[in-house]
Amino acid sequence: MYTLYYMQGACSLATQVVLHELDQEVTIIDKNSLDDFNTINPVGTVPVLVDGDNKLTEGAAIILYLLNKHDNTLLPTNANKQQKAIEEILFANATMHPAYSKLFFIEQNISDQKAKREAFDAIEKNINDLWQVVEDSLESKETLNGYMLSAADIMLAVYATWGQYFPVKLIFGKRTTKMLAAVQSMPSFLKAVQAESITSAT
Ligand SMILES: N[C@@H](CCC(=O)N[C@@H](CS)C(=O)NCC(=O)O)C(=O)O
């Protein structure tokens, strides 16, 4: 049994979806329900996963830990394919996620309206360029690795929901839209969203 610290709709949602895909039981705890979350993760970010005596942080590291620990079809075993899948997980976590994080940063930290608009415009272009990279990589395939759903698809499907909260126009290509919709309608994804809405409301 795992414990996952999360925030509603945040990147920790991808960790929960992966746990469901792996058929693992998980108790989820809303970071915002605690007064002292920084004693759990001094960086203050979710996800944090507790596995027995083991406390894990950093989303990509947590997902790779789970994929290495449990049998699954999300991470290929073939060395070259696995390397590619890890690249895609890192592209999601270390390239796409930080681009979206700038939207939150701009909203919270820039008060001058002109500077704010310029910053949003710049990051809008950056994010759209990254989604174009995803669209190009989905040419003639339905998921990032081409033959099965991957952890990176799940991570991207979570981040893709964040743009709606900001004054930016994000453009998803046809193939990307199809891949994101496929992930967002998976039973594991719906179960994770539902679990967060119940736990956050209590
Ligand atoms: N590098 C970290 C970044 C995680 C991160 O930025 N998490 C955000 C949510 S998506 C967070 O916890 N922000 C803290 C807050 O908004 O209170 C990871 O991948 O785990």
Side-chain angles (χ1 to χ4, degrees), residues 8 26 29 34 37 51 57 72 85 88 94 107 109 112-114 133-134 140 163 168 175 179-180 185-186 189 200:
Q8 194 168 14
V26 58
I29 300 176
L34 307 175
F37 179 73
D51 179 13
T57 60
N72 66 86
E88 287 161 357
E107 185 62 42
N109 294 287
D112 178 83
Q113 287 309 307
K114 185 166 175 285
V133 170
V134 173
S140 72
V168 288
R175 298 185 285 265
M179 180 276 278
L180 296 174
S185 61
M186 284 168 20
F189 198 98
S200 296

Side-chain angles (χ1 to χ4, degrees), residues 7 10-11 31 44-47 58-60 93 97 101 162:
M7 285 191 328
C11 52
K31 170 200 150 161
T45 55
V46 294
E58 291 298 329
N93 182 254
H97 183 316
S101 295
W162 296 343

Side-chain angles (χ1 to χ4, degrees), residues 147-196:
Y147 53 95
M148 60 192 185
L149 183 83
S150 72
D153 295 300
I154 295 171
M155 296 163 88
L156 291 177
V158 170
Y159 311 156
T161 63
W162 296 343
Q164 61 184 308
Y165 304 117
F166 302 96
V168 288
K169 184 167 171 28
L170 298 183
I171 298 159
F172 303 95
K174 257 194 195 150
R175 298 185 285 265
T176 306
T177 302
K178 195 172 165 202
M179 180 276 278
L180 296 174
V183 176
Q184 287 163 357
S185 61
M186 284 168 20
S188 56
F189 198 98
L190 297 172
K191 182 177 172 181
V193 170
Q194 169 81 350
E196 286 192 353

